[in-house]
Amino acid sequence: MNRLWLTPLARQDLAWWRRHDRGTAREVLGLLRRLQDDTPLPTLRLTRLPLCPPGLWSFRLRGEHRIVIERMSGFVVVHQCRFHY
């Protein structure tokens, strides 16, 4: 099981989803739970970020909205949950 850490921007993004689109908020929380449990994410929606430090990944939610994560040994850092990187 990984420890999950949300940056202040990711917390703001999640709060925004909770206020404006509960369905997407539930999807984000489900994905965060999967990351915490170390369950594989669908690879079609997961891409490495080019020109960024290694370990940063983007997971497509809707259209321009992405979750940007960084996997490290024992924990996952969530950098953002809304908009395009």
Side-chain angles (χ1 to χ4, degrees):
M1 181 177 254
N2 293 318
R3 295 188 64 186
L4 195 63
W5 189 74
L6 276 73
T7 63
L9 177 62
R11 289 176 196 270
Q12 289 174 1
D13 292 344
L14 186 55
W16 189 90
W17 283 121
R18 285 181 173 161
R19 283 191 309 272
H20 293 92
D21 188 347
R22 293 242 176 202
T24 302
R26 278 192 288 275
E27 183 181 355
V28 169
L29 290 172
L31 290 169
L32 296 179
R33 204 169 297 117
R34 288 179 74 170
L35 286 167
Q36 189 174 16
D37 294 339
D38 211 15
T39 306
L41 298 175
T43 56
L44 290 176
R45 295 170 61 184
L46 188 65
T47 57
R48 281 190 50 201
L49 291 179
L51 306 174
C52 289
L56 283 178
W57 292 84
S58 169
F59 188 83
R60 186 179 67 242
L61 287 173
R62 308 248 186 285
E64 78 263 6
H65 299 293
R66 310 282 193 273
I67 295 178
V68 176
I69 61 169
E70 183 176 4
R71 290 182 182 226
M72 299 178 169
S73 61
F75 64 97
V76 176
V77 178
V78 181
H79 291 280
Q80 73 181 52
C81 300
R82 194 166 63 113
F83 296 124
H84 202 273
Y85 44 86

